[in-house]
Amino acid sequence: MEKGVNMRSMWPLLTGSLLCAASVFGAPPAKVALEGGRIIPVVGDDISKGTVLIEHGKITAVGKHVEVPYDAMVVDVSGKVIFPGMIDTHSARGMDIRNENLPVTPFLDVYDALDPSRLYFEDALRDGITSIHAIVANNCVIGSLSRVIHPIGLTPDEMTLQAPVALKLSVAPKRRSDRMVQMATLRETFLELADYLENLAETKYEESLEKEDKKIDVGPEEARKRGKPLIKFEDYDDAHRNLIKLTRGELGAFIYCGIAGDVGRAVKLAKDNGFFGRSTLVLGDACFKAVSEIKEAGRPVVLDPDLLYRERDPITGDIKETFIPKVFADAGVAFSLLPYPNNSLAERYLNYQAARCVRNGVDRKTALESITINPAKALGVGDRIGSIEVGKVANLVVFSGDPLDFESWVDMVYINGIRAYERKDDVRLKQLFGDEPAEVTEGEAPEDEKKKGAEADDKPADDADGKGEAPAETPSDKANETGTDG
Amino acid sequence: MNNPHNSHRLALRVAAIATLFVVAPQTSAETIVIKSAQVHTGTGAVVQDGMVVITDGSITAVGANLSVPAGATVIDVQGGSVTPGLIDANAAIEASDLMITPKRTASSVLHDVFCVKHSDKPIAGCCGSMCSRALQHVDGEDCRECGFPNTAPNLAVGVRRHGSLAEQSSEVIPHTRVIDSVNLRSPDFERLLSGGVTTVFVSADPAAVLTSQGAIVRTGGPMADRIVREADAVKAVMGSDPFLRGPRNTRPFRQYVDFHARRPTTRMGVTWVFRKALYDTQRHGQGLPVGGADTPSVPAMKTLSKMLTGEVPLRIQARMQRDILSALRLAKEFDLRFVLEEGTEAHRCTDELRAADVPVIYGPMYITPAGYRNSTELDGARLHTMRALVDAGIETALTANDLRDEDGLARQAMYALRHGVPLDAVMRSITQTPAKLLRVDDRVGTLEPGKQADVVVWSDGPFEATSKPLVVLINGRIVLDKRTG
Amino acid sequence: MIRLSRSLLILLSVASCASASAQKPDAIMAGRYVAPDGTIKTDTAIVLDRGKIHVTVARDVYTKTDNIVAYPNAVVCPGLIDVRSRIGAHDNLTETAHAIDPAASAIDSLDLTHRDFRAAVEAGITAVMLSPTENNLVSGVAATVKTARVSGDDPVLRGDGPLMFAVGSTVFSEDRAPTSRIGSAAMLREALDEAKAGRGHERMRLFSAGSLEGLVVCEDPMDVSAALRTLANGRPSIAIVHTSDAHDLAPELARGSRAVVVGPYAFGMSPRTLSTAGVYAAAGVPVVFAGGTPEASVGSLRTTAALAVRYGMDSAKARRAMTVLPATLAGVSERVGAIHPGLDADLVVFSDDPLRLDARVLDVYIKGVRVYHADVRADQTTGETP
Amino acid sequence: MNHTTYSTRHRNPWGSALSRCAIVAGLLALIAVPVARAGENAGRLAFRVGKVITMDPGDTVINNAVVLVSNGKIERVARQSEMTIPEGYRVIEAPDKWLVPGIIDAHNHTVANFWWMDLNDMVYLTNPGLRTLETIEPENELLKDARAGGITTVMMIPGSGTNMSGFGTISKTAGKTVDEMVLRAPGSLKIAQAGNPEWYWYGVGRSFMNYNTRQTMEKAKAYHEAWQAFEAGEGAERPEFDPVFDDFRGLFQHKFPVTVHTQIYQVVMTTLDMLKKKLDVRTVLDHCTFDGYKTAPLTVEADVYAINGPRQYNFDRAERKMNGNAARWWQGGVKKLGLNTDAPVVPQEELPYQAAMACWYGWQPYPALRGLTRIPAEALLIDDRVGSVEAGKDADFGIWTGDPIDPRSACEMTVINGKVVYDADVRRRF
């Protein structure tokens, strides 16, 4: 099996080139100008042969005629397309497991599960995804705190763009549960929260009296009333702190709906508990049937990566196909698309998902928005990422052609103004294309390298320093790969 | 729709011949004219602003600047393109013996509502054990009953190793016919059709060394005309599929000798069973007695003797380099002509394939090769295999095999384009070349006068992410029309 | 053994006949009766002669009054026939050794004394066809027997046909060939080729020559296609047993098969399945209902018919599908199946149209002898005896 | 030398060992100069080394020598003082290294990564007709290990699950395809005398197995003799081709040996008696472990090769002492004694350790080294191609830091058919 060795041969290069971005993370080149490409800002019209100027990680100028400061590094991208970094609005793939077994876990944070060494992040860069909403999957009742991250960085802290973003909730049943139990658990959680607050208020009031050495002088109701203003935020315990923030509207909520009937329950749950205004609906594929209800709710929606819904008529046996984004587009509901978690298929590309929309009658603008600005808005960072506008974070993808053309490749990715990926240095891609010499010992060296080799006949001895300490066997990529999918 | 054209497309555009074929258009009551910005004839040539004239089910003219015959039905998709009906020369159609049709029980209505979506995908089959939860597989989760891992809808061939529709009673079953387990009413065919595929070779399940004869069928049109050839090529299988797929062959190892205790259980055994079958066939043909272990049945030998004379064609499925080389060795030993199926590692033996003049039906390919997932035979998959085959001048057809979701074969073409195969070669690999390899090129595969009018009209350029088949004609009859939808 | 049980039955029935001689009318006056075309006609005298129907005439033409039974409001119907029954043999019809086993005969497993026969009679079923289980490609020949007998009558209507085939997954086995559809078809093709060449079992040769009809059990619509492709052989010598929903095959079935057996139907089955009988019948396919006794209840034959009608089948065709068409399918239509001169007087008297599920069986006659009489209160009686 | 330098901070996608990154960056430089020494100049190389163990029949050792290689063959071996390197040769300098003939493993199963899948077709007890040729995957990890261990030729035989498990293949350990690698196919017939087949088959004892083997061999011999008679033009009728027995013809023509998995006194004795004495085929004893060494006098008498391994010790209950297998064979007078690993049972690259262990138990280093090289080559009838460093033979050898028998020595470079197939400088494996 050539893979193992190739991986071994590859990973130094990979780490050197793909991921060196992280190394300059602290000190990005101050100014970069991408010059001569077609700019698709998503917000606003396309600019042909335009320039994007990045200063200190932010976009400072966009246009046809941009004055480039003398000290800016100019990158010629003529013939290419500059596109906002795409956003994976809902992904559990950078973590070890997608969901905890515990049903209600608002005290947890994906921070503790993120694994920056996941191949998923490397793939995300290769696919032009610059921001990822790291959030637990749908198999939960109330999940953990989520955050928006970049696919580069050595630690979750380095990767984070925004945290916390939202709590994950699901009105569709957790595995081995049912809807009645699910809803009951959700209700109980919030009832218990109210109960907890009252008890806490009473306790606080009692404590305040104790301090002054007084005896309790009022009934419990009054005590709670008086105790309420005494509670400080630090008094809340782990189990309730985030729920309180949620109910106060200080946290977003990503609510998963499995079937159309869940939408109404999700809306009611959010309204009843005061977080409707900050909720986003994560929709299962059959939820499009509740499109009017969703439109009425007016909240951002995230669609299932499986964009095509098929059902069989029980009488005629005919299969009816519905292209889900078209339903939402026709209804005028803004939506975000997700990449398909299966790495082998084209649907892993967000831009391909958008192209599928166009193929099925969604207009181009809507399709492009659904992978850039719509997700940014849903995540509450619409003012920072999601389009190419002055003042936004310089998260950019340079495509070799139109993003909706399947033959386009991601040539470069900029995150925070740092060049985080460059296709010509993508060793894994080279290996998959058979471009990289499989094994030095077998293949004949490429011409130019042969020459180099000949020159290097008298290798200085100090080179030997490195060779004794070759990296130990790296775990095969397969284990990791299946891990990301699982 | 914004669609920049890549350099090779431009080159084609420039090189396009103004009029390829000028045959006086005949007026007829049943004349259909298809107008399009680009007419891809399937030979690799492109006619700009071209026209295809169809009379009585046959193509009568292809070219630019033709006059529209009076009374003709005109199909005009502005900006679209036209290609021949696509041909998949190695389609794995719904494994009927594993087909999960929702059983109509008392709760069937509820069942349909919640489960049928999944049952339409091949995922139920990949569980193979027919466990009672087969219908309730959820993408991305393991089967809750039998623990079969993550049943994503599109599994690579070879990954689905537990299910099988092949006859298990023998390793040599060339007398059986795939057509007997093909459900012509399967929704698979609708899906193939909506992806622009009009003719398929339904390939046998690779669970036996010398497995069934495939069938060539049309994907649409009247049911009575669907079957083009009921029993076509016999398929032989190298590698581990014969003993790992389906209920796997077992050794009589500390257990009772049962139905599945037989050779092969190794690659060595696979080639031996192949050799033994053909050797016995030769002897049987000479009236000599045959016998011993691994002797094929008489009906099997009848078919194999036709294969030896070339009357019945042979296809050999081999994925890894060693299996491809085994196939070449066997073909040499018995002086056989064959077509290579799958050829996942064909890029590692292009020289040998070219020397033996063996055509390849390559595929399916993925964005990331399936080697990164859990199948050993696909570990060597690479993105440039198709390009390597084309560059080596090997006759190559492209196949989507069991991938039918939304855009099966067209998607394979997209992948090939993305991975560096020129458009004309890609076009040939799913039209002209498979037609030739299936020996149906006298009727289909290209848009030329005299050919059967199997035509696909695309909403944009063919094999683009933003394009889909709008109209499909088989035999000059419109079998799919999505112009209004 | 069989002979012994048969003679035992004869003894028993002779005894019962003696006591029931009063219940052996010369004519039955029917207010309504089911005519051979399946429609319900009115006011007829069914004149019986030595256990056979002598003639049917208008009621006022028949003037004799002695020894007649009159049913002014009831419906006289030919005895119902269940062609998918295993009454009296249900544990003994499964042979597993060989997939092609034409030598087997269902008649060899028959136990005529079995108590299930009585239940069938009480439900109005006067004949059943027993067939070997469909776990083999060729599983032997079926037998048709009456569910009750009167003296001097051989209850076996036919013991040597039709020949039973099966092509669906019921045939597959884990320990003998075939294990799959492709294997089944190949084996069957080979066996038929042998038969055509004059080799193999006699019954296969007879089938191949067209002098023995076949009955093919199919599971999926595609099995039906396979059966038509491999067995129909260009002429409709086979009937198909198929309960699924092959709507679009109706034209092919009309051309390629003698009849299609559907059922048993039950409440709660999908509408698509239940409408199949109507679709087939409308396309001109002779539809026969199967009751599936004794696994299904004895009433299931009529439930099946009622549901088929509910889902669009013509009523007359539904009545024929329980009477004359099953008789034809079993090859015994010259003996039973219709109220027609010359046929056995096997009659069931229903309180109303047999398609109505509230219609009760009042009397059952075999060979003109009343073998069952509903013991009902006078106020419920719609039939009357002088 | 122009080394590209890369940042040392990176995200490690395969694990959390971020501390490795500095090393990695260092390695990068090495990769940028691939095959520094593998660059070929029309396939002509000159190795200037400190010592050449030629393993020629004269057991010559040449110090300060030059080995010239061209077109995959060894052109000349001589002292540096006796020869100037001609023009057009790329010189590889290793003045303090040993050049040792490519090591040969006469009994192993390193066919593929998933080697256990394809070696034992244990449905029947006797499996003539099976060949390992179809199972060899050139790009496999085990072979890469073999190359890095200085092993250049291997006999890949089927497993020992059955009595007669098929025909092995002698192959080099490098090549793009099997056909390129193969030295001889069939390489040998594999027979397993008792032992494993006894375990795997209920009720099959040695008497049946020996009977069974004899029957098969006698049929095969009759087949061969029929053909021989026909080919000799003695008017005999042309026999019918039979794929079951046709592969045996080479065996009876003494073109290749039978390699016998045999390892207990009684079993070795039977092997010698049945195969060598009665059937007169070229026989190689493989494994030769347990108390097999007690047959040493018989073996000497039968004049067959014994290839010992992978177990180098045997506890003799009667003598209550530990015996070194190879040492006892040697002491018993068996001079045609080699070593094997049965890889991947014992890792392929540990073949020299077998020799080291044998020496620890009392064998001598030079014969042990010969047992890794020339002896197996002779045993397998490939000594015209490999097994020693002599002009005209395949250029298969390893450049070692010292005596391969010394466990502290390492193979630094491996050459097969005149090509550098492993270079520790470029990508060290051990």
Side-chain angles (χ1 to χ4, degrees), chain A residues 49 140 168 200 215 280 309 311 366 375 382 418 423 469 485:
Chain A
K49 291 191 180 150
C140 65
K168 178 68 183 284
L200 186 64
K215 288 242 151 121
T280 300
Y309 184 80
E311 62 188 326
T366 310
I418 304 161
R423 178 158 68 114
E469 302 172 85
D485 275 347

Side-chain angles (χ1 to χ4, degrees), chain B residues 388-408:
Chain B
L389 287 167
V390 169
D391 288 351
I394 294 165
E395 208 167 15
T396 308
L398 190 57
T399 171
N401 205 289
D402 64 346
L403 306 179
R404 287 173 295 277
D405 224 25
E406 202 181 358
D407 38 28

Side-chain angles (χ1 to χ4, degrees), chain D residues 8 27 34 49 105 107 136 184 194 198 203 234 348 381 394 421:
Chain D
T8 56
L27 266 188
V49 293
D105 193 350
H107 180 120
I136 298 169
R184 188 178 71 215
E198 271 172 14
E234 290 165 8
Q348 182 83 83
L381 295 165
D394 288 5
V421 295

Side-chain angles (χ1 to χ4, degrees), chain C residues 301-317:
Chain C
L301 190 59
R302 279 171 61 212
T303 316
T304 302
L307 281 168
V309 172
R310 164 73 180 75
Y311 284 89
M313 192 181 189
D314 177 64
S315 320
K317 285 178 176 164

Side-chain angles (χ1 to χ4, degrees), chain B residues 240 243-244 250-255 261-272 275-276 279 282-283 288 293-294 320-323 325-326 329-330 333 345 348-349 352 376 379, chain D residues 111-112 114 116-124 126-139 158-159 165 167 176-179 199-202 240-244 247:
Chain B
S240 59
F243 52 93
L244 290 186
T250 54
R251 303 150 167 179
F253 174 53
R254 292 179 188 173
Q255 66 191 33
R262 65 158 176 268
R263 273 206 290 236
T265 62
T266 63
R267 279 185 161 76
M268 304 188 294
V270 169
T271 45
W272 167 251
R275 292 177 68 218
K276 167 78 170 162
Y279 168 70
Q282 285 171 344
R283 281 179 68 88
L288 296 168
D294 309 313
M320 304 179 91
Q321 185 206 46
R322 48 179 164 165
D323 300 331
L325 294 179
S326 292
R329 247 179 249 128
L330 288 168
E333 182 175 344
E345 290 182 11
R348 289 177 62 199
C349 40
E352 289 84 352
T376 59
D379 280 357
Chain D
V111 289
F114 296 88
W116 59 89
M117 254 176 67
D118 288 321
L119 284 175
N120 284 303
D121 212 319
M122 295 194 293
V123 178
Y124 303 108
T126 311
N127 296 283
L130 303 194
R131 303 161 172 174
T132 52
L133 187 65
E134 289 100 6
T135 68
I136 298 169
E137 167 60 54
E139 293 259 332
S165 48
F167 289 85
K176 285 202 176 79
T177 65
V178 182
D179 297 342
W199 274 95
Y200 291 89
W201 282 77
Y202 272 126
E240 285 159 23
F241 171 80
D242 189 335
V244 177
D247 284 345

Side-chain angles (χ1 to χ4, degrees), chain D residues 11-257:
Chain D
R11 184 167 59 68
N12 177 359
W14 291 281
S16 54
L18 292 165
S19 58
R20 281 193 206 133
C21 48
I23 303 161
V24 165
L27 266 188
L28 275 178
L30 298 173
I31 288 159
V33 191
V35 212
R37 299 178 181 183
E40 285 154 48
N41 199 342
R44 285 196 279 185
L45 296 168
F47 291 83
R48 199 149 31 196
V49 293
K51 190 187 283 285
V52 175
I53 311 286
T54 64
M55 281 298 163
D56 62 6
D59 288 330
T60 317
V61 175
I62 308 174
N63 293 315
N64 296 322
V66 173
V67 176
L68 293 186
V69 169
S70 64
N71 297 320
K73 299 279 180 196
I74 294 165
E75 200 182 323
R76 198 176 158 202
V77 188
R79 274 177 194 282
Q80 286 172 23
S81 54
E82 289 167 4
M83 180 174 66
T84 45
I85 297 170
E87 276 297 298
Y89 282 75
R90 237 175 58 63
V91 181
I92 291 170
E93 296 281 2
D96 52 353
K97 302 280 160 64
W98 291 33
L99 191 147
V100 179
I103 294 173
I104 300 169
D105 193 350
H107 180 120
N108 83 101
H109 314 282
T110 54
V111 289
N113 282 337
F114 296 88
W115 53 274
W116 59 89
M117 254 176 67
D118 288 321
L119 284 175
N120 284 303
D121 212 319
M122 295 194 293
V123 178
Y124 303 108
L125 196 55
T126 311
N127 296 283
L130 303 194
R131 303 161 172 174
T132 52
L133 187 65
E134 289 100 6
T135 68
I136 298 169
E137 167 60 54
E139 293 259 332
N140 88 59
E141 296 297 309
L142 300 169
L143 283 180
K144 288 175 185 171
D145 288 351
R147 294 201 289 266
I151 287 123
T152 58
T153 304
V154 286
M155 161 72 90
M156 293 180 179
I157 43 179
S160 55
T162 62
N163 223 193
M164 186 185 287
S165 48
F167 289 85
T169 307
I170 300 177
S171 127
K172 297 285 177 80
T173 54
K176 285 202 176 79
T177 65
V178 182
D179 297 342
E180 197 183 312
M181 286 161 60
V182 164
L183 206 155
R184 188 178 71 215
S188 77
L189 170 68
K190 168 74 186 284
I191 286 177
Q193 286 276 61
N196 287 346
E198 271 172 14
W199 274 95
Y200 291 89
W201 282 77
Y202 272 126
V204 180
R206 281 179 206 169
S207 56
F208 180 82
M209 282 195 288
N210 286 334
Y211 168 81
N212 190 36
T213 308
R214 197 180 296 117
Q215 289 291 311
T216 312
M217 294 297 286
E218 275 168 5
K219 277 184 203 157
K221 192 170 190 181
Y223 176 85
H224 166 66
E225 280 163 357
W227 271 98
Q228 214 175 19
F230 168 72
E231 279 162 1
E234 290 165 8
E237 203 181 327
R238 184 190 165 89
E240 285 159 23
F241 171 80
D242 189 335
V244 177
F245 296 119
D246 207 60
D247 284 345
F248 285 84
R249 292 204 58 203
L251 181 65
F252 292 107
Q253 289 162 348
H254 299 273
K255 285 183 181 162
F256 61 82

